[in-house]
Amino acid sequence: MHHAIEIARRGLGRVEPNPAVGAVLVDADSKFLAHGFHEVFGGPHAEINALSDLARRVPDSQEQHRLLENATLYVTLEPCCHHGKTPPCTEAIIRSGIPRVVYGLGDPSPHVAGGGELQLTESGVQVTNGMLRDDVAALNAPFLKLLTCGRPWVHAKWAMTLDGRIAAHTGVSKWITNEASRAVVHELRGRMDAVIVGANTARVDDPLLTARPPGPRTPCRVVVDSRASLSVDSQLVRTVGEGPVLVATGQSPELGNVQALQNAGVEVLPFKSADDRVDLNGLLAELGRRSMTNVLVEGGSGLLGSLFDQNLANELHVFIAPKIVGGADALSAVGGNGLGQIPQVGQLKSMLMRESGGDVYIHGVVGRCS
């Protein structure tokens, strides 16, 4: 099952809004026979790819049958039992003659929800569930959040100096981190459905917010901009043909700005809140309705502050450069109202820390479905 989880990761960024799934076939002595993973949305599922892998490794059909009639299939997620973009995996498993299936996590999708296990057991297949359930759930946390909460999994990212600054007091922020760290960010962008920044970041940095080189996904570039102030001469607007741009406004955007942006091919949507700021909950709900599974919030300080004030972040990607900027007026990474006291325990779960070309990259989970 550990191996099934690892190969399932290869589908991340390519299978969403479906879950990442891996499958491993072993013989009667628990020796490896074949494996497969869900490679691309709309393509064959992990179980089918594992059976195809066995056919490649063992071309003789009689030998395949002999191995399968004593095999066990380990799969991270409950096999599907419905006709969607592909036929049911349960039917393929039953036809193959595999006598035993072990899966990690039940599929909570309404069209499965225990139906896969039921169909297998009714056909005489021995089924065991729950193996490494928590690990599989962690792998597919974005899928599970979208399914149960109707919202995407929110990644928050920032780069800062050793003294916690994201820019000098002059506003200059290029470059805090090195090329290795920036390459990690581009790789991260390449598996996102959306990359989100605030209006000030869009104005000061004039970013492209694209993945370079391109990744498996082309993210929608979202600017949280209550007044619709994004310039039509910005890189975002000028490159709207290379990837969609959405401006999320408040209750009273400048109508002339809205029209100019729409004429340039930018989508402008209002997300009204009581204080005329952009309602982040409403924005995330809309992205969820569009089946966006992973979104990346890159700043600036005010937007990240609002995100944490409202407990909307799920996962952190923080890059720390061994540089000191100083300055009482230099921006910190997370603005907003903040907490009234220091938390008694650390807030990162499953924290990983590694060197990134001399910088430090810290990654961990901070939230749940909210």
Side-chain angles (χ1 to χ4, degrees):
M1 189 63 77
H2 280 296
H3 181 57
I5 291 171
E6 285 307 307
I7 62 171
R9 295 184 192 281
R10 300 179 191 177
L12 292 175
R14 294 176 170 83
V15 301
E16 290 85 354
N18 283 353
V21 182
V24 178
L25 278 166
V26 300
D27 66 13
D29 298 318
S30 294
K31 293 181 180 178
F32 174 84
L33 291 176
H35 62 195
F37 65 100
H38 186 28
E39 298 176 7
V40 63
F41 178 74
H45 289 184
E47 300 93 322
I48 307 304
N49 284 332
L51 290 168
S52 297
D53 186 45
L54 179 66
R56 286 191 294 270
R57 295 171 184 268
V58 184
D60 182 81
S61 59
Q62 290 186 336
E63 179 63 8
Q64 287 177 40
H65 179 71
R66 185 190 69 80
L67 291 169
L68 287 171
E69 66 181 5
N70 294 292
T72 299
L73 174 68
Y74 289 86
V75 59
T76 55
L77 195 71
E78 177 185 4
C80 69
C81 56
H82 68 289
H83 284 270
K85 290 185 177 296
T86 60
C89 291
T90 50
E91 292 183 2
I93 293 168
I94 293 165
R95 284 197 308 272
S96 73
I98 295 172
R100 183 168 181 254
V101 171
V102 179
Y103 70 83
L105 180 69
D107 188 342
S109 304
H111 48 255
V112 184
E117 178 172 348
L118 179 62
Q119 191 173 101
L120 290 172
T121 56
E122 287 181 343
S123 297
V125 178
Q126 180 186 346
V127 179
T128 303
N129 65 49
M131 179 174 282
L132 300 183
R133 178 188 287 110
D134 291 345
D135 293 337
V136 178
L139 169 69
N140 281 304
F143 162 76
L144 295 171
K145 183 180 180 185
L146 182 63
L147 186 66
T148 59
C149 301
R151 297 185 183 190
W153 186 259
V154 180
H155 301 253
K157 167 263 168 186
W158 65 84
M160 66 184 185
T161 61
L162 199 59
D163 56 337
R165 303 296 196 264
I166 61 171
H169 68 86
T170 58
V172 175
S173 61
K174 293 182 179 179
W175 291 105
I176 290 176
T177 52
N178 57 40
E179 290 186 7
S181 295
R182 298 199 293 275
V184 174
V185 174
H186 281 287
E187 183 180 357
L188 187 62
R189 285 179 183 171
R191 64 179 182 86
M192 294 288 132
D193 292 307
V195 177
I196 307 173
V197 296
N200 189 60
T201 296
R203 181 173 56 254
V204 173
D205 292 350
D206 191 23
L208 277 169
L209 303 181
T210 54
R212 302 183 295 276
R217 307 186 85 78
T218 300
C220 176
R221 296 167 292 169
V222 180
V223 181
V224 177
D225 184 354
S226 61
R227 307 297 291 178
S229 62
L230 180 66
S231 171
V232 292
D233 295 321
S234 65
Q235 290 196 95
L236 286 169
V237 177
R238 287 190 284 111
T239 60
V240 71
E242 299 173 21
V245 177
L246 168 65
V247 172
T249 72
Q251 185 171 350
S252 306
E254 295 290 345
L255 295 181
N257 296 347
V258 171
Q259 190 62 58
L261 289 169
Q262 290 175 333
N263 290 343
V266 174
E267 183 179 9
V268 182
L269 285 179
F271 297 94
K272 303 174 184 178
S273 65
D275 57 3
D276 199 27
R277 302 177 71 181
V278 176
D279 176 12
L280 294 181
N281 281 284
L283 172 60
L284 292 173
E286 174 60 26
L287 299 183
R289 280 191 290 272
R290 299 182 184 202
S291 296
M292 293 190 182
T293 310
N294 290 278
V295 301
L296 176 65
V297 179
E298 291 203 18
S301 177
L303 178 58
L304 286 168
S306 296
L307 196 75
F308 282 95
D309 283 345
Q310 298 177 56
N311 295 314
L312 296 176
N314 300 112
E315 191 167 331
L316 292 190
H317 305 267
V318 181
F319 299 84
I320 305 172
K323 303 172 182 178
I324 296 176
V325 172
D329 295 329
L331 282 175
S332 62
V334 181
N337 296 323
L339 300 177
Q341 58 186 13
I342 305 300
Q344 295 300 303
V345 296
Q347 293 155 287
L348 276 185
K349 298 178 289 185
S350 306
M351 187 176 75
L352 298 174
M353 183 168 58
R354 73 169 193 256
E355 186 180 6
S356 178
D359 297 337
V360 174
Y361 172 33
I362 298 175
H363 170 227
V365 174
V366 292
R368 55 186 186 276
C369 181
S370 60

